[in-house]
Amino acid sequence: MTYYYRLGKIPPKRHTQFRNDSGELYHEELVSSLGFSGVYSNIYHKNPPTNVKKVGPSTPYSYKILKDYGLKMTHLKTSGINYTGNDFLESRVPLMVNSSCIISICYPDQLSMPYIFKNADGDEMIYVYEGQGNLNSQFGKLPFKKGDYIVIPRTTMYQIEVEGEIKPKFLIVESKAPIETVGRYRNELGQLLEHSPYCERDLHPPIEINDYSDHKGDVEMKIKKGDALHQYFYGYHPFDIVGWDGFLYPYTFSIYDFEPITGRIHQPPPVHQTFQARGAFVVCSFVPRLFDYHPLSIPAPYNHSNIDSDEVLFYTEGEFMSRKGIDTGSFTLHPGGIPHGPHPGTMEKSIGKKETKEYAVMVDTFAPLHLTENCLPYLDEEYPYSWQ
Ligand SMILES: [Fe+2]
């Protein structure tokens, strides 16, 4: 759920004749979620979006679950990783998965994608840990930079182009449920309320429609559906649109625009909530903020027993005050069923501190997560005992 937006040329009334200067009809496409009950957009193409030149072979694209890992507090020492593969799909490494989501890192070596990608399985949230560039899609050009969350509705056809010399690093959460702004921060008509930690001005839609009229040659698209990548070829550029309008489109939100909610005593994680995927997970942003101001407050969090969620933290900037031995770029997983809390000494050390400069992205899932075999090189075997 974002807000109504329009870009480019659209006819005054939907589902009516809309022609180019030569009198030819444009091709309208309704892109709708939850059948016809969710948010949607109407897109106007120069070519029929159904016109496929060739369907290529499908190739397996999946992961292997790490068997017999057990119930353990987990630290993945992923901070030293500079790249995880060549292109955008090869470098996408699933680390933690369940039936509703896949949490991956993606540190590609290449700065552009020679093909278009479409995820037909789920929405994607890409957190830009490093780098900047544009996400081009049938909705136009969407600039992104370090610290942005890019929220991409399923079946959006996109191509990432990186700008500058910094190799990109992405955290990617793929979700079976739609990824939305937080429901309790919206009024009954969908507008973000006054006490929301962000508002519509902080959500950035695509800025312009790219012109592909000079494009020559076939365009390859890789579509993820099931445990496979399906290869399609088009004889024109599929981003060949003249305009669109609606509520469904990719957008960015910067973690640097999240306005923290603070209190006299320690505020619980829901104050950091940024997105929701109903029944599946929440995403929270930990950002620099003033600490609790009760005279006897303890800024470090209290011990906490997740009785019905698994908690993943990706540490992105600064020093995380309740943890020892965790670097930026690392993950922790604190699974439901056992308590977790501040490392020894950090509670006492936090007293009297006025502020934190930490940044972290948290994903709390409601179904237990499984580690994949991709985690094996990064497991910190000592972490479960680091509270001794
Ligand atoms: Fe927690």
Side-chain angles (χ1 to χ4, degrees):
M1 179 73 182
T2 37
Y3 51 84
Y4 175 79
Y5 190 69
R6 59 191 284 177
L7 197 60
K9 290 192 296 181
I10 57 171
K13 198 159 182 66
R14 60 186 170 176
H15 319 323
T16 58
Q17 294 176 36
F18 181 35
R19 297 177 186 276
N20 64 18
D21 294 342
S22 309
E24 295 158 327
L25 283 170
Y26 288 121
H27 301 270
E28 186 183 43
E29 179 191 10
L30 168 70
V31 183
S32 66
S33 62
L34 304 175
F36 288 85
S37 307
V39 290
Y40 63 90
S41 287
N42 279 299
I43 299 172
Y44 296 88
H45 295 267
K46 291 177 185 164
N47 294 281
T50 45
N51 184 355
V52 179
K53 186 168 182 184
K54 188 180 160 207
V55 178
S58 301
T59 49
Y61 185 71
S62 193
Y63 49 80
K64 288 196 177 121
I65 302 271
L66 184 56
K67 293 219 170 69
D68 303 320
Y69 179 66
L71 178 65
K72 280 181 243 176
M73 286 194 276
T74 300
H75 171 210
L76 299 178
K77 295 201 277 189
T78 45
S79 62
I81 302 176
N82 285 323
Y83 71 96
T84 50
N86 281 326
D87 79 348
F88 184 82
L89 287 178
E90 189 191 308
S91 61
R92 194 184 274 225
V93 180
L95 296 174
M96 289 166 264
V97 301
N98 66 20
S99 53
S100 2
C101 70
I102 301 171
I103 301 172
S104 308
I105 53 171
C106 174
Y107 299 173
D109 203 28
Q110 291 178 349
L111 300 181
S112 62
M113 291 165 65
Y115 50 82
I116 294 172
F117 175 59
K118 179 198 271 201
N119 192 333
D121 281 331
D123 286 22
E124 290 183 354
M125 184 205 81
I126 301 181
Y127 179 77
V128 184
Y129 175 46
E130 290 289 352
Q132 65 176 55
N134 297 300
L135 182 134
N136 297 312
S137 74
Q138 72 266 47
F139 297 96
K141 174 176 164 180
L142 178 65
F144 66 79
K145 59 191 180 312
K146 179 182 167 73
D148 278 353
Y149 293 98
I150 314 171
V151 178
I152 308 168
R154 69 203 60 202
T155 77
T156 299
M157 309 178 283
Y158 70 84
Q159 216 166 14
I160 285 177
E161 56 170 4
V162 174
E163 281 180 347
E165 295 304 309
I166 297 174
K167 295 263 170 75
K169 291 187 175 182
F170 303 121
L171 164 73
I172 304 179
V173 182
E174 184 183 322
S175 172
K176 288 257 161 62
I179 297 174
E180 305 167 329
T181 55
V182 182
R184 69 175 185 283
Y185 288 137
R186 287 188 248 121
N187 66 22
E188 62 181 311
L189 295 179
Q191 187 176 15
L192 288 160
L193 291 161
E194 270 293 298
H195 64 284
S196 169
Y198 55 88
C199 77
E200 283 80 1
R201 294 182 200 182
D202 302 314
L203 307 177
H204 304 288
I207 55 167
E208 63 188 26
I209 288 168
N210 294 323
D211 183 7
Y212 292 93
S213 47
D214 292 339
H215 183 85
K216 299 269 188 303
D218 292 352
V219 177
E220 181 185 6
M221 188 183 302
K222 295 184 181 186
I223 304 174
K224 179 180 181 295
K225 182 139 192 180
D227 289 331
L229 281 179
H230 310 278
Q231 191 183 34
Y232 271 58
F233 290 94
Y234 293 84
Y236 58 93
H237 202 294
F239 300 166
D240 65 337
I241 60 153
V242 290
W244 61 270
D245 77 333
F247 283 65
L248 185 141
Y249 50 87
Y251 63 92
T252 62
F253 168 67
S254 172
I255 198 168
Y256 304 120
D257 285 331
F258 188 90
E259 297 302 330
I261 296 168
T262 58
R264 284 225 314 160
I265 56 171
H266 194 82
Q267 296 294 295
V271 300
H272 307 284
Q273 193 182 345
T274 311
F275 299 111
Q276 65 183 25
R278 281 182 237 193
F281 61 85
V282 298
V283 176
C284 297
S285 303
F286 288 85
V287 302
R289 60 194 180 278
L290 295 178
F291 274 143
D292 325 321
Y293 47 89
H294 185 285
L296 295 176
S297 69
I298 303 175
Y302 33 80
N303 293 300
H304 168 215
S305 211
N306 304 3
I307 67 166
D308 51 14
S309 64
D310 277 15
E311 188 178 302
V312 175
L313 266 166
F314 179 59
Y315 303 84
T316 61
E317 278 181 65
E319 199 175 313
F320 216 71
M321 50 98 176
S322 60
R323 296 270 172 273
K324 281 178 172 173
I326 306 286
D327 293 322
T328 54
S330 289
F331 286 88
T332 55
L333 163 64
H334 297 128
I338 46 175
H340 60 273
H343 270 124
T346 56
M347 227 176 10
E348 200 62 68
K349 203 174 146 196
S350 74
I351 293 171
K353 290 258 169 74
K354 295 289 178 228
E355 61 177 339
T356 171
K357 306 269 194 212
E358 72 197 15
Y359 286 94
V361 175
M362 185 167 86
V363 183
D364 266 17
T365 68
F366 303 130
L369 286 163
H370 305 283
L371 266 58
T372 69
E373 289 186 359
N374 299 323
C375 294
L376 274 171
Y378 311 116
L379 280 172
D380 176 356
E381 301 290 350
E382 298 305 313
Y383 188 68
Y385 313 109
S386 59
W387 283 263
Q388 284 178 1

